[in-house]
């Protein structure tokens, strides 16, 4: 790995080094996601999660992580199989649910069959968290031994991201600290979905404002559920 120059602040890394880094970082993210999904259902005062709201079977919780909270939503999806949901639970489909003014979403590089680097760019008309912002993230998808499906998505360090994809003019490069899904198979082709997100949009936004808007991000499960229901696995979605 080369040292960044003062002007570019980017690192040029080999594909092998990038793969090793992402494998290590995504393993940590996956463990955080699994830990969030394993804590007692509908809140536990001892695990750091505080229930914000519980409405129509959807639990939204938060946990303090520095100045920015981590948010979690959990929902029992009936008549939606894990395979149906996981087919649309990816960084690009999620970004479309975050903000309809997504300007660009593309795969920069596939490191392995289940490990990719993705560029997301939002436009002038986007919501405050995403206006004129872009994100360079990895996405890792794994199936655990018990059949639980996990998708981990988080930003690359800014120096590595700059080496892979130069920042667009006038864009602010935000940072997705952690996010992802844990999809647990239940009976009758139903599943329990846990979604976790912690986002730092960068730029100037009050932290309390960011935390308030972050609570809305975890509700994308509802929109993804509709996509999953319209996309049967038998059709190869």
């Amino acid at each position: 790995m080369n040292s960044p120059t003062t002007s570019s602040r980017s690192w040029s890394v080999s594909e092998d080094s990038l793969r090793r880094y992402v494998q290590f970082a995504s393993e940590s993210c996956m463990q955080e996601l699994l830990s969030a999904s394993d804590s007692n259902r509908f809140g536990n005062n001892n695990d750091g999660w505080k229930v914000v709201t519980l409405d129509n079977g959807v639990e939204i919780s938060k946990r303090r992580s520095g100045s920015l909270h981590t948010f979690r939503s959990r929902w029992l999806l009936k008549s939606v199989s894990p395979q149906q949901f996981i087919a649309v639970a990816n960084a690009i489909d999620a970004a479309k649910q975050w903000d309809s003014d997504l300007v660009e979403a593309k795969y920069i590089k596939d490191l392995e069959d289940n490990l990719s680097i993705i560029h997301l760019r939002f436009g002038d008309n986007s919501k405050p968290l995403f206006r004129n912002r872009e994100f360079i993230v990895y996405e890792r998808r794994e199936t655990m031994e018990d059949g639980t499906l996990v998708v981990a998505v988080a930003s690359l360090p800014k120096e590595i991201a700059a080496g892979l994809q130069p920042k667009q003019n006038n864009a602010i490069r935000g940072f997705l600290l952690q996010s992802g899904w844990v999809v647990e198979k239940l009976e009758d082709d139903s599943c329990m979905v846990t979604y976790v997100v912690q986002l730092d949009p960068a730029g100037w936004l009050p932290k309390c404002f960011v935390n308030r808007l972050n609570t809305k991000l975890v509700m994308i499960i509802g929109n993804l559920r509709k996509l999953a229901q319209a996309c049967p696995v038998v059709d190869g979605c």
Side-chain angles (χ1 to χ4, degrees), residues 81-224:
S81 70
Q83 289 74 22
Q84 279 179 285
F85 187 83
I86 214 72
V88 298
N90 58 68
I92 290 179
D93 281 334
K96 292 175 182 176
Q97 308 309 312
W98 287 343
D99 198 308
S100 59
D101 289 305
L102 179 68
V103 173
E104 184 178 20
K106 67 177 183 180
Y107 285 88
I108 297 175
K109 186 184 292 289
D110 289 327
L111 299 174
E112 293 179 356
D113 290 342
N114 66 338
L115 195 61
S116 302
I117 308 297
I118 298 171
H119 176 223
L120 305 170
R121 184 163 64 91
F122 299 84
D124 293 337
N125 298 322
S126 292
K127 299 178 181 66
L129 281 180
F130 302 102
R131 191 169 296 143
N132 291 327
R133 281 172 171 78
E134 62 179 7
F135 300 84
I136 309 298
V137 302
Y138 66 74
E139 177 184 76
R140 179 173 173 179
R141 308 167 75 87
E142 289 284 352
T143 302
M144 304 292 103
E145 291 183 359
D146 64 356
T148 298
L149 302 172
V150 184
V151 180
V153 182
S155 287
L156 292 175
K158 59 183 179 180
E159 295 86 0
I160 295 178
L164 289 172
Q165 179 81 32
K167 187 169 71 69
Q168 301 288 322
N169 290 336
N170 301 320
I172 299 170
R173 186 156 285 182
F175 202 75
L176 189 59
L177 295 150
Q178 62 171 305
S179 73
W181 296 263
V182 176
V183 186
E184 304 166 73
K185 179 178 174 54
L186 303 176
E187 296 179 355
D188 302 324
D189 285 328
S190 298
C191 58
M192 174 66 76
V193 178
T194 301
Y195 177 51
V196 175
V197 63
Q198 185 185 24
L199 173 68
D200 181 358
W204 189 89
L205 283 175
K207 298 300 183 184
C208 61
F209 181 69
V210 173
N211 283 327
R212 187 164 64 249
L213 291 180
N214 261 315
T215 61
K216 299 180 180 180
L217 296 185
V218 291
M219 290 305 295
I220 66 171
I221 286 180
N223 293 335
L224 290 172

